Amino acid sequence: MTRVAAAQLAAGTDVAVNLETCLRMIDAAASVGVELLVLPEFCNHLSWYDNRSHARRMACRTGDSFLTAIARRAARHRMYLKIGVTLARPDGRTTGTGLLFGPDGTLLGESDKQILMGAENDHLDCGDTDSEVVDTALGRLGMYACMEGVVFEVARSLAVRGAQVLLNSLNSFATDEASLHIPVRAAENRVWVIAANKVGPLLPEDRLPDIAARLGVPADRLHGAGESQIVAPDGVTVAKAPPAGEALVVADIDIARADDKTRTDGLDVLGARRPRVYAPLLTRSATRDTSATDTLHVAVTLPDSDLIAETAAAGAQLIVLPELTAQARAHQLTVPTVAAALDGTSSHAVLTVRDGNSHVGLLISADGVIGRQAQLHRSHRYTWLTELGSRVEVFDLPWGRIALVIGEDTLFPETFRLAAIQDADVVAVVNSPQEQWERRLGLTERAAENRLNLVAAGLDSTGGLTADVYALSPDFTLWTAWQGPFTGLISHPEVTSAPPGADRLHATVRPAQAVNRSVSRGTDLVAGRPRAATVSLTREPATATTEPELP
């Protein structure tokens, strides 16, 4: 077991005071035997500058007194230490950089932030190389920072390249960091995540009331949201700090747990990736369709033609059914019976069928099948599934654009990204979840990081309906006017779930909200995806095997 920790602290504009705080937290960690410590982002100076020259003037330099003191303190305690700072590079760039020091004080690795948030774009330079995986005596460590964890690419790239522990330094007031964006990176990649966030004001204290008034939020909502945490490879948070106040969160972890990438059904969630299928993520620019409707009435039902007919008659414009099941066969649910159930309405339904050796999602109207989507990734549940699809399809409907994500494809964040860059507004998700994180974290994040409305249908182990609708909220970021009070959630959908025993779920989603992907000024969740990390995700491993594909 390895004792690890995340230090939660406040940092202001006084560099000397900030250094003193960091050294004190390092000493506190050493006093309880911590071997690996993560400090927050921007520990050297508050992330607020008058201009780019001010940011560069306040930034650290390699070997300066600030970083030398940090390295020496790590060496004194024989500790691995990650810290986030701004760094003035010799080539004139000023970067937001994570630095990893070894137990002898040596600088082992650097990670320049590849996605800048809001005003960071005004003062800092974006990293243009992928974060390295550092092989240490403890294990393989990967570094990322704050906004890089609000989307999947950087953390995913580190995991694909072998990282066992991801070290996330944050400078965030968003409460959905702790509840969603931090733990989902552990679960989807089967790795440990150690995340250290700030507390205290994230803006100059003397200007905070005026800035808060202009944004229309309470001043305390512009403080670091804390809740620094350590998350296991199954997405379970094993230790977490409170939302306010300086804290040290400590846990003993078995790093080797991150070497097991198998889901409960035996699927290797990294080994089953299809990098060649993800190639459009490198070459295709995200577009924005502005013709989608404001609202869409959606439903999820059990696979029964009478239920489908009732739901369509009640006004559901999109009805999603669980994937192919014995229940569907018992109800003799076929394409003609579904089409007949939709007769006289403008509704559409989504279900899946076996077609030879492929698993196919069908988009059906009263006229029959109008769209097909073959499953892209292999399955351990369906031994007959040997022919895989090669691309994500997006279909135009009167209310907007829809993609179908079926079966094990739901486990892969790349699948939903492929739908987003083709300007999907809604995704029908058809899959029976095997693990708790898949609904609570996985699908929630797929909606959030891509600005996609999701309508998800599945069955639990008893054959009962699992139904979840993830609707995009119009209250998104601080840069758009909020309809309600600011909650601290920056990128999080509104989730509606069917209660146990229900045979259907009705809800409303907002297709037009998928157009707004700007999580902050200058930071687009989809168009701003990090190229260097994406290159890693689209690169075939050396041991790749050829799989049959559908034309």
Side-chain angles (χ1 to χ4, degrees), residues 92-276:
R93 293 178 304 132
T94 305
T95 55
T97 301
L99 301 173
L100 178 66
F101 293 97
D104 61 355
T106 301
L107 179 62
L108 300 180
E110 304 180 13
S111 173
D112 289 343
K113 193 174 184 181
Q114 298 177 56
I115 312 173
L116 300 178
M117 180 70 163
E120 294 170 15
N121 290 282
D122 298 333
H123 306 128
L124 302 178
D125 295 290
C126 195
D128 57 6
T129 59
D130 208 2
S131 303
E132 60 185 307
V133 176
V134 184
D135 200 352
T136 73
L138 299 182
R140 299 180 299 277
L141 311 180
M143 295 182 284
Y144 67 106
C146 205
M147 181 60 212
E148 290 181 310
V150 178
V151 293
F152 74 88
E153 283 91 349
V154 175
R156 185 75 158 175
S157 170
L158 290 165
V160 165
R161 289 180 288 123
Q164 297 165 297
V165 186
L166 303 186
L167 315 178
N168 183 8
S169 297
L170 298 100
N171 177 74
S172 178
F173 58 77
T175 58
D176 45 330
E177 288 279 15
S179 63
L180 177 60
H181 308 305
I182 292 171
V184 73
R185 304 305 165 211
E188 69 193 11
N189 295 303
R190 292 294 204 276
V191 294
W192 291 94
V193 171
I194 307 171
N197 196 11
K198 290 270 191 68
V199 289
L202 298 184
L203 302 170
E205 222 166 343
D206 60 339
R207 301 179 63 176
L208 196 59
D210 177 60
I211 296 169
R214 283 192 283 113
L215 293 174
V217 302
D220 62 357
R221 287 293 191 184
L222 300 179
H223 285 214
E227 295 192 283
S228 301
Q229 58 192 270
I230 299 164
V231 189
D234 59 1
V236 174
T237 299
V238 298
K240 184 164 71 171
E246 195 174 273
L248 184 72
V249 57
V250 181
D252 295 319
I253 69 172
D254 178 5
I255 290 177
R257 275 185 63 187
D259 293 330
D260 182 3
K261 304 298 183 183
T262 54
R263 198 168 67 147
T264 51
D265 63 359
L267 182 72
D268 184 328
V269 298
L270 292 190
R273 295 177 65 255
R274 304 274 311 283
R276 181 170 52 171

Side-chain angles (χ1 to χ4, degrees), residues 288-296 399-401 423-426 451-453 471-474 476 508-517:
R288 295 188 180 189
D289 174 24
T290 58
S291 62
T293 60
D294 290 334
T295 59
L296 177 72
W399 43 260
R401 291 169 60 80
D423 206 25
D425 303 305
V426 176
R451 290 294 286 174
L452 291 169
N453 296 276
L472 296 180
S473 171
F476 175 53
T508 299
V509 298
R510 305 179 182 91
Q513 288 299 323
V515 173
N516 181 11
R517 297 165 174 166

Side-chain angles (χ1 to χ4, degrees), residues 3-7 22 25-27 29-30 34-39 79-83 100 167 194 248-249:
R3 180 157 291 187
V4 301
C22 291
M25 296 304 291
I26 296 169
D27 290 343
V34 168
E35 300 167 79
L36 170 62
L37 175 65
V38 179
L39 296 175
M79 178 190 297
Y80 289 90
L81 172 67
K82 189 239 178 162
I83 184 171
L100 178 66
L167 315 178
I194 307 171
L248 184 72
V249 57

Side-chain angles (χ1 to χ4, degrees), residues 1 28 89 94 105-106 152 176 194 226 262 265 278 284 307 333 381 414 434 443 455 514 537 540:
M1 303 292 282
R89 298 287 188 180
T94 305
T106 301
F152 74 88
D176 45 330
I194 307 171
T262 54
D265 63 359
Y278 313 147
R284 181 158 183 159
L307 278 177
L333 196 68
R381 296 178 302 135
E414 295 93 340
Q434 305 293 303
L443 292 182
V455 185
L537 297 180
E540 291 282 355

Side-chain angles (χ1 to χ4, degrees), residues 223-499:
H223 285 214
E227 295 192 283
S228 301
Q229 58 192 270
I230 299 164
V231 189
D234 59 1
V236 174
T237 299
V238 298
K240 184 164 71 171
E246 195 174 273
L248 184 72
V249 57
V250 181
D252 295 319
I253 69 172
D254 178 5
I255 290 177
R257 275 185 63 187
D259 293 330
D260 182 3
K261 304 298 183 183
T262 54
R263 198 168 67 147
T264 51
D265 63 359
L267 182 72
D268 184 328
V269 298
L270 292 190
R273 295 177 65 255
R274 304 274 311 283
R276 181 170 52 171
V277 173
Y278 313 147
L281 297 178
L282 268 180
T283 58
R284 181 158 183 159
S285 299
T287 57
R288 295 188 180 189
D289 174 24
T290 58
S291 62
T293 60
D294 290 334
T295 59
L296 177 72
H297 183 195
V298 300
V300 177
T301 77
L302 285 170
D304 177 280
S305 57
D306 290 338
L307 278 177
I308 297 169
E310 291 175 20
T311 305
Q317 297 160 275
L318 175 65
I319 304 168
V320 183
L321 311 178
E323 61 187 329
L324 54 97
T325 64
Q327 283 188 28
R329 292 191 292 274
H331 285 280
Q332 297 184 329
L333 196 68
T334 63
V335 170
T337 59
V338 173
L342 300 176
D343 189 42
T345 74
S346 60
S347 303
H348 294 83
V350 175
L351 74 161
T352 71
V353 298
R354 176 178 177 176
D355 184 0
N357 292 324
S358 63
H359 183 206
V360 180
L362 301 179
L363 179 61
I364 301 172
S365 73
D367 296 324
V369 175
I370 62 171
R372 295 170 57 89
Q373 173 66 62
Q375 184 166 325
L376 304 174
H377 300 88
R378 65 178 183 264
S379 169
H380 275 228
R381 296 178 302 135
Y382 300 140
T383 56
W384 45 264
L385 178 56
T386 58
E387 294 183 352
L388 303 175
S390 60
R391 59 186 177 270
V392 170
E393 307 285 356
V394 176
F395 307 98
D396 287 301
L397 292 178
W399 43 260
R401 291 169 60 80
I402 184 171
L404 316 182
V405 175
I406 68 171
E408 280 68 15
D409 293 350
T410 60
L411 298 174
F412 299 86
E414 295 93 340
T415 311
F416 293 84
R417 201 58 136 186
L418 288 166
I421 65 170
Q422 295 183 73
D423 206 25
D425 303 305
V426 176
V427 176
V429 178
V430 184
N431 180 48
S432 296
Q434 305 293 303
E435 297 177 348
Q436 288 188 354
W437 75 270
E438 294 174 29
R439 294 170 66 194
R440 181 177 63 86
L441 297 173
L443 292 182
T444 308
E445 184 67 304
R446 301 295 83 87
E449 70 188 357
N450 294 292
R451 290 294 286 174
L452 291 169
N453 296 276
L454 306 187
V455 185
L459 296 174
D460 62 24
S461 58
T462 67
L465 182 69
T466 63
D468 305 284
V469 174
Y470 305 81
L472 296 180
S473 171
D475 290 337
F476 175 53
T477 82
L478 288 179
W479 310 106
T480 55
W482 279 54
Q483 297 179 3
F486 179 62
T487 62
L489 299 177
I490 295 299
S491 181
H492 198 292
E494 298 170 355
V495 184
T496 305
S497 300

